[in-house]
Amino acid sequence: MRTTSFRILLLSSIAMLTTGCESLFFIEAEAEEICKTERDLSFPAALPLTVNVERSITFPLGDFADPLPEDTDIETELRLRLFEVTADTDLSGVERANVSVRQPGSNTTHVIGEYTRTSTAPTRTIQLTSTGPVDLLDLARQPELEFIFDARGTLPSEDWTASLRACAGVKAHANYFDLVF
């Protein structure tokens, strides 16, 4: 009887492995929302023919990756929840804006949020909307990321200040099957 049980267990394990059931064994870590606010950032007056302004901020992930094993690849999903710019001047001349993310020390950026002007009414606040999740391998292992805000259009002709508020959700997924076998 024990031999039969062992054979059934062995055959079912082989069947699971050959049918792709290895995805049942994984470790997942998630931070629903991490936020950071940068207040009173200075922006220079736009010179004639200036069509864009760029500003970067560091975005903390903290110890998010601590529960994840070191010796396996991690798939990471980053989703922008909120990116808001509130200025002390009129921003209605901003036609388009985007926010990108990159890992520290990298030149590769991934757009995670966009804004397109829909009205010419005066406004001091613009909100960028998410372009969807971005999957970056081993992104969660970094203690911080860099968010790059880029605005294009008719920019304020005098020096101005703004507060940037960024919130993002992060999810990491590691295949535990690779660690066990």
Side-chain angles (χ1 to χ4, degrees):
M1 182 114 181
R2 287 186 180 174
T3 306
T4 305
S5 298
F6 178 73
R7 285 184 188 159
I8 292 172
L9 178 63
L10 182 62
L11 289 174
S12 63
S13 297
I14 291 172
M16 283 177 52
L17 293 175
T18 59
T19 59
C21 289
E22 67 185 65
S23 63
L24 295 175
F25 306 104
F26 63 89
I27 298 172
E28 195 168 271
E30 183 172 2
E32 278 293 319
E33 191 169 87
I34 301 169
C35 295
K36 180 173 184 184
T37 301
E38 290 278 340
R39 298 188 193 289
D40 300 323
L41 296 173
S42 297
F43 291 86
L47 300 172
L49 305 177
T50 302
V51 295
N52 79 312
V53 64
E54 185 176 291
R55 181 61 148 227
S56 66
I57 64 170
T58 57
F59 189 79
L61 290 180
D63 58 357
F64 173 75
D66 281 354
L68 302 171
E70 288 292 326
D71 52 351
T72 188
D73 288 336
I74 296 175
E75 296 173 12
T76 306
E77 179 181 292
L78 174 76
R79 180 183 297 271
L80 184 69
R81 302 272 190 226
L82 169 75
F83 196 92
E84 184 175 80
V85 180
T86 305
D88 65 353
T89 190
D90 181 25
L91 295 177
S92 62
V94 174
E95 296 170 12
R96 301 181 71 74
N98 67 48
V99 63
S100 303
V101 64
R102 71 177 164 206
Q103 295 179 17
S106 172
N107 291 327
T108 305
T109 61
H110 302 275
V111 175
I112 59 172
E114 295 177 330
Y115 165 83
T116 302
R117 182 178 66 193
T118 57
S119 169
T120 57
T123 185
R124 292 179 182 257
T125 302
I126 59 174
Q127 285 188 346
L128 287 77
T129 56
S130 176
T131 59
V134 176
D135 183 10
L136 300 172
L137 186 64
D138 288 339
L139 174 82
R141 293 197 198 281
Q142 304 297 324
E144 62 186 20
L145 302 173
E146 187 176 13
F147 280 12
I148 300 102
F149 169 68
D150 182 32
R152 298 179 176 276
T154 306
L155 302 172
S157 58
E158 68 278 343
D159 291 347
W160 54 289
T161 61
S163 294
L164 302 180
R165 178 158 169 80
C167 295
V170 185
K171 183 188 297 185
H173 180 94
N175 188 346
Y176 192 72
F177 183 79
D178 293 337
L179 297 173
V180 176
F181 297 99

